[in-house]
Amino acid sequence: MSEAVVDKSAYGTSAVAQWGVADDQLSMGKKWLSFAVLFIFAIGCVFQYMMVPPILPQVGGAFGADPNDFGMMMSVFAIVGIIVAYPATWIMQNVGVKMAVIVTAVVSVIGTAICLAAGDWTMMLVGRTLQGCSFGLIAVIGPNIIPRLIPLGKQGLAMGIYSMWFPVGQVIATFTVPLAYGAFGWTSAFWMSLVILVVTVAVFVALFKLPCIPENLLAEERVKAKTGKIRKIFFASALIVGFSFVGFELVFYAYNDFFATYAQMVMGMDVSVASNAILVANLLTIPAGVITGILCDKTNRRKEILIAGYVVFAVLFAFFAWSNTGNETMSWACAIILGIVPFSVIPVCTRCLVPVLCPDPKKCDWALTGMAVGTTLGGFGAGFFMNLSGALSWATAGMIFAIIPAITVVVLFFTKGDHSLMVGKEANASLEAASASEAE
């Protein structure tokens, strides 16, 4: 049976903040169900983000926009994500998890409706800005929910799966939007987004629940009961790890946004072949991310695995991905290695390490919010990669951008790691025993 507890105060004292909080700790099956509906909703938000690139010229052309302004459809999305990141954390902590997701969905639906009804380019950008607000909200709220929902001993697996929200949404958009456009025109992508969001939020409202006491708090209580000690919170290290994510996103977006252009201009690849290299890299992150999450749970070496991911990222980006050699085999090899190692390892390990360094729910929220800020800063800064490649060369631009993950390696080296913390044998044994009793 589930562990019987009644104190819901950790989620807030208002009635709305406790909406969706159960009267017990839930069985693992119910926790994974809540995780699943959250994950599906988040994928729908990514679809909303990535549905535009395949049809960007067509959408801009429909409103007579200047091609130089096409990028605004994506950049307003990124800029507003930075603005709403910390307000999103405040919203979640004050109105509760479930209501915060509802707010996200409402903002998204309004933005999509404005885009569909837009009569000019300005109104289209207004709607796109509201869509960006919703993405910024879920980028913060989603990862912050998981330490509350999933026990520490299984958080690596959960974070490994959840970290694939972006590539899964991107792959779905890449496959479906061109087909829908060919059949029904550019508005079909926005209608698809609207339907996806309405359906997924309805399922979320119906099925999502949180355990009575946040799991990251309960884990600390179990460790204290097992060892008689209270583990120190390393909030500064957690903040640094969260914000260091910009070192990943800056380079990640540069590759995803511009490799197809490089492959066509330098490698002479066909448009579809160039796009397939990016698609393969993102598809490989799905199984690799889950495996990485399991390794985090089993080894308690999150920091070391994270640093290794950044090292591989810096080396590939500096010397191989943009080498101007015309070697197609090299390009495919880079795409495969990028997908298996940095694209999967870095997001997963970052999301796994922060809650271990900072188990306090509210402080953990602020540290994980740094990841959302890093995501939007990276998306915005990646645009300068094209300027560097035009002014210098693709290879030189790759070397310059590789400096960022290289610096991140140095920064992470001086932060607190997880292996020596009290989340090893004693804590895991206690958590596994508790999870086993809950599942009975």
Side-chain angles (χ1 to χ4, degrees):
M1 298 293 294
S2 297
E3 190 172 336
V5 287
V6 293
D7 184 9
K8 302 180 181 181
S9 60
Y11 293 104
T13 56
S14 67
V16 68
Q18 295 178 22
W19 180 38
V21 180
D23 292 326
D24 60 14
Q25 285 307 111
L26 302 175
S27 67
M28 279 308 302
K30 291 180 180 178
K31 290 172 184 173
W32 283 117
L33 177 62
S34 292
F35 172 85
V37 296
L38 170 67
F39 183 56
I40 292 170
F41 175 78
I43 290 173
C45 293
V46 176
F47 178 90
Q48 179 180 253
Y49 187 5
M50 299 308 295
M51 67 184 179
V52 169
I55 55 172
L56 185 54
Q58 290 78 15
V59 176
F63 291 92
D66 188 293
N68 293 326
D69 295 329
F70 285 177
M72 287 296 292
M73 282 284 284
M74 300 301 288
S75 61
V76 292
F77 219 100
I79 293 169
V80 78
I82 301 171
I83 297 172
V84 304
Y86 283 102
T89 300
W90 184 89
I91 289 170
M92 189 186 76
Q93 291 185 352
N94 284 273
V95 304
V97 168
K98 204 162 185 176
M99 181 57 71
V101 174
I102 301 299
V103 171
T104 300
V106 170
V107 172
S108 176
V109 168
I110 293 172
T112 305
I114 290 174
C115 289
L116 285 167
D120 55 44
W121 184 242
T122 300
M123 285 304 296
M124 172 60 73
L125 292 179
V126 169
R128 191 68 177 157
T129 299
L130 287 175
Q131 288 182 329
C133 287
S134 70
F135 183 83
L137 288 167
I138 195 61
V140 171
I141 295 167
N144 288 359
I145 290 174
I146 295 173
R148 291 167 162 80
L149 178 64
I150 303 296
L152 179 61
K154 298 183 184 295
Q155 271 181 28
L157 175 59
M159 289 295 193
I161 297 171
Y162 191 85
S163 293
M164 300 305 104
W165 72 306
F166 199 96
V168 171
Q170 182 178 25
V171 167
I172 293 172
T174 302
F175 275 123
T176 61
V177 169
L179 296 175
Y181 168 74
F184 305 106
W186 68 265
T187 58
S188 60
F190 289 83
W191 281 111
M192 287 168 61
S193 173
L194 188 61
V195 170
I196 289 170
L197 286 164
V198 170
V199 171
T200 55
V201 76
V203 173
F204 177 88
V205 170
L207 300 178
F208 182 85
K209 286 187 177 181
L210 284 164
C212 181
I213 298 177
E215 281 293 338
N216 42 0
L217 272 187
L218 197 58
E220 294 305 294
E221 293 178 12
R222 289 169 177 162
V223 171
K224 181 182 177 182
K226 183 76 175 179
T227 66
K229 299 177 182 178
I230 299 176
R231 183 162 63 85
K232 183 179 179 181
I233 294 175
F234 296 94
F235 183 50
S237 288
L239 280 175
I240 293 170
V241 171
F243 276 104
S244 71
F245 196 58
V246 70
F248 168 77
E249 291 289 15
L250 187 71
V251 185
F252 173 80
Y253 277 113
Y255 182 83
N256 278 274
D257 290 351
F258 303 117
F259 181 78
T261 303
Y262 160 80
Q264 294 172 59
M265 294 176 62
V266 177
M267 311 292 294
M269 287 185 183
D270 180 79
V271 175
S272 60
V273 176
S275 298
N276 284 339
I278 299 171
L279 189 60
V280 165
N282 282 280
L283 281 172
L284 287 171
T285 65
I286 299 171
V290 175
I291 293 170
T292 300
I294 295 171
L295 284 175
C296 288
D297 286 338
K298 299 297 183 183
T299 65
N300 289 321
R301 293 282 187 181
R302 297 163 181 82
K303 175 183 169 179
E304 289 82 353
I305 300 171
L306 177 61
I307 289 175
Y310 274 109
V311 170
V312 172
F313 210 4
V315 171
L316 285 178
F317 220 75
F319 303 111
F320 299 101
W322 315 92
S323 58
N324 288 343
T325 61
N327 187 336
E328 222 174 285
T329 302
M330 177 70 74
S331 294
W332 281 104
C334 284
I336 292 169
I337 297 172
L338 285 169
I340 294 174
V341 184
F343 283 11
S344 58
V345 165
I346 296 173
V348 173
C349 288
T350 304
R351 289 193 173 96
C352 288
L353 180 56
V354 170
V356 172
L357 295 174
C358 185
D360 179 86
K362 290 192 174 181
K363 289 184 177 179
C364 183
D365 290 344
W366 296 113
L368 281 174
T369 301
M371 290 187 69
V373 174
T375 297
T376 49
L377 281 175
F380 178 74
F384 293 103
F385 184 85
M386 196 69 184
N387 300 106
L388 286 174
S389 64
L392 303 170
S393 70
W394 291 98
T396 304
M399 289 182 179
I400 293 172
F401 262 56
I403 294 172
I404 308 301
I407 292 173
T408 306
V409 169
V410 177
V411 171
L412 291 174
F413 183 80
F414 291 100
T415 61
K416 187 69 178 178
D418 59 301
H419 187 66
S420 61
L421 299 183
M422 202 179 301
V423 290
K425 295 180 180 178
E426 298 91 348
N428 282 339
S430 177
L431 292 170
E432 287 170 5
S435 296
S437 66
E438 289 173 0
E440 291 177 358

